[in-house]
C-alpha cells in the first residue's frame, strides 16, 4: 500500500473534486462557475500531491512549454468567461502535457477485468493502440 502524507491526501481530495467539478461543468453545458472552480481545484490539488517545486518543474520544462501554454491559457480563458473555447485549449494542452503517461494508464486499464475487455472491442482497440504507443515518456 502506498503511504501518503496528509498534504498529499488533501491534494488527492482537491484533485478529485476538481475533476468532478470539471466533468459536472461540462455536463451542464459548460457552466462557467463550475469549470472555473474545477480548474482551480485541479491545479491546486496537483500542487499539493507532488509539491510546488515539482509542479513548477513539470509544467515549465522546455519541451512542454507549448502544452503548458495551452493548458494554463485554457484555464485563464475559462476564468474570464469563455468556457467552450477555454476547455478546447485545456483539453489539447492536457493531452500534450500528459501524453507520456497514457501508455502506462492504458496498460493498467487493460488489466482491469471489465474495462480491459471494453478496450479490446474492435472499434476501440485501434484507437487505444494508437494512444498507447507513445514513445514520449515524461
Amino acid at each position: 500500500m502506498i503511504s501518503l502524507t496528509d498534504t498529499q491526501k488533501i491534494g488527492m481530495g482537491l484533485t478529485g473534486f476538481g475533476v468532478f467539478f470539471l466533468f459536472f461543468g461540462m455536463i451542464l453545458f459548460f457552466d462557467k462557475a463550475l469549470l472555473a472552480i474545477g480548474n482551480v481545484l485541479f491545479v491546486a490539488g496537483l500542487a499539493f500531491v507532488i509539491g510546488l517545486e515539482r509542479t513548477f518543474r513539470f509544467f515549465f520544462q522546455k519541451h512542454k512549454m507549448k502544452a503548458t501554454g495551452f493548458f494554463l491559457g485554457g484555464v485563464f480563458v475559462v476564468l474570464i468567461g469563455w468556457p467552450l473555447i477555454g476547455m478546447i485549449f485545456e483539453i489539447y494542452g492536457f493531452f500534450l502535457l500528459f501524453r507520456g503517461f497514457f501508455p502506462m494508464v492504458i496498460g493498467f486499464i487493460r488489466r482491469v477485468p471489465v474495462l480491459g475487455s471494453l478496450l479490446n472491442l474492435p472499434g476501440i482497440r485501434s484507437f487505444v493502440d494508437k494512444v498507447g504507443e507513445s514513445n514520449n515518456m515524461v
Side-chain angles (χ1 to χ4, degrees):
M1 181 120 180
I2 297 174
S3 157
L4 296 175
T5 65
D6 289 339
T7 306
Q8 289 173 325
K9 290 176 187 176
I10 291 169
M12 292 296 288
L14 288 174
T15 304
F17 277 117
V19 169
F20 169 76
F21 278 107
L22 285 169
F23 180 70
F24 201 56
M26 284 191 277
I27 286 176
L28 293 176
F29 302 111
F30 294 95
D31 182 61
K32 289 185 263 188
L34 291 174
L35 291 174
I37 291 169
N39 283 327
V40 171
L41 289 175
F42 179 79
V43 173
L46 187 64
F48 270 87
V49 170
I50 65 174
L52 284 174
E53 181 182 348
R54 288 177 67 190
T55 302
F56 186 79
R57 279 190 294 168
F58 175 76
F59 278 108
F60 295 105
Q61 293 175 22
K62 193 168 202 153
H63 64 280
K64 292 185 179 181
M65 290 305 284
K66 175 183 171 185
T68 299
F70 273 102
F71 183 75
L72 295 179
V75 170
F76 178 73
V77 170
V78 167
L79 289 175
I80 62 171
W82 294 335
L84 185 61
I85 295 169
M87 286 307 295
I88 291 170
F89 286 171
E90 272 186 64
I91 291 169
Y92 180 67
F94 180 84
F95 282 118
L96 289 179
L97 275 172
F98 295 102
R99 68 179 166 202
F101 293 114
F102 290 149
M104 181 177 59
V105 170
I106 289 172
F108 175 76
I109 292 174
R110 282 192 169 151
R111 291 186 192 100
V112 176
V114 175
L115 296 177
S117 60
L118 287 175
L119 291 183
N120 287 327
L121 292 174
I124 299 173
R125 183 180 180 95
S126 61
F127 175 73
V128 170
D129 287 342
K130 284 182 184 178
V131 171
E133 69 186 19
S134 172
N135 293 332
N136 298 353
M137 291 309 286
V138 180

